[in-house]
Amino acid sequence: MTTSLDILKKRADFLAASRAAKCGTKGMMVQARLREDDGPLRVGFTCSKKVGNAVARNRAKRRLREVARAILPSAGQAGFDYVLIGRFDATASRDFEALKGDLAYALKKLHRA
């Protein structure tokens, strides 16, 4: 399934999501913010320098992008901004199916709240 996702690019969007609901899993942290509009869901990705050097951060972000592409079209809700944050060592080394399960679990938990 190759669905293009709207990507968050502005710092203000990331800051607004950081003040919203969050759910941590073993492979990532997920922040979800309900926007005031009915636009499509948007997603952003970030990894701090704690994750590692530039190569490690980019690898973690690539994996987060693929997980989002696989899970968000079916489990995400319109009108939400999601930010996926990579974790030190776990995001890059965790099994891909486990990462997909982490995101699905976090979305269920965030939408229930």
Side-chain angles (χ1 to χ4, degrees):
M1 176 186 308
T2 56
T3 306
S4 69
L5 298 169
D6 286 353
I7 305 295
L8 292 176
K9 294 183 179 153
K10 294 184 177 162
R11 185 171 190 268
D13 292 331
F14 282 90
L15 291 175
S18 73
R19 292 186 297 271
K22 23 180 112 41
C23 178
T25 64
K26 191 165 185 151
M28 71 187 80
M29 169 74 78
V30 181
Q31 299 171 338
R33 177 179 81 102
L34 180 59
R35 297 189 318 268
E36 298 300 321
D37 59 26
D38 287 334
L41 68 86
R42 301 185 305 177
V43 63
F45 309 94
T46 187
C47 290
S48 72
K49 287 191 177 183
K50 291 179 187 176
V51 172
N53 62 12
V55 174
R57 291 193 306 271
N58 286 332
R59 180 166 193 255
K61 282 193 273 190
R62 277 195 309 273
R63 297 192 84 212
L64 290 175
R65 276 194 294 272
E66 285 306 310
V67 166
R69 225 175 258 133
I71 300 296
L72 281 178
S74 60
Q77 294 182 6
F80 271 86
D81 284 347
Y82 300 102
V83 175
L84 279 57
I85 303 170
R87 289 198 183 271
F88 171 71
D89 210 26
T91 304
S93 62
R94 192 155 165 80
D95 179 61
F96 190 70
E97 292 302 315
L99 269 181
K100 286 172 36 177
D102 287 347
L103 180 56
Y105 168 79
L107 291 174
K108 273 189 227 166
K109 196 168 176 183
L110 288 166
H111 290 150
R112 206 177 322 135

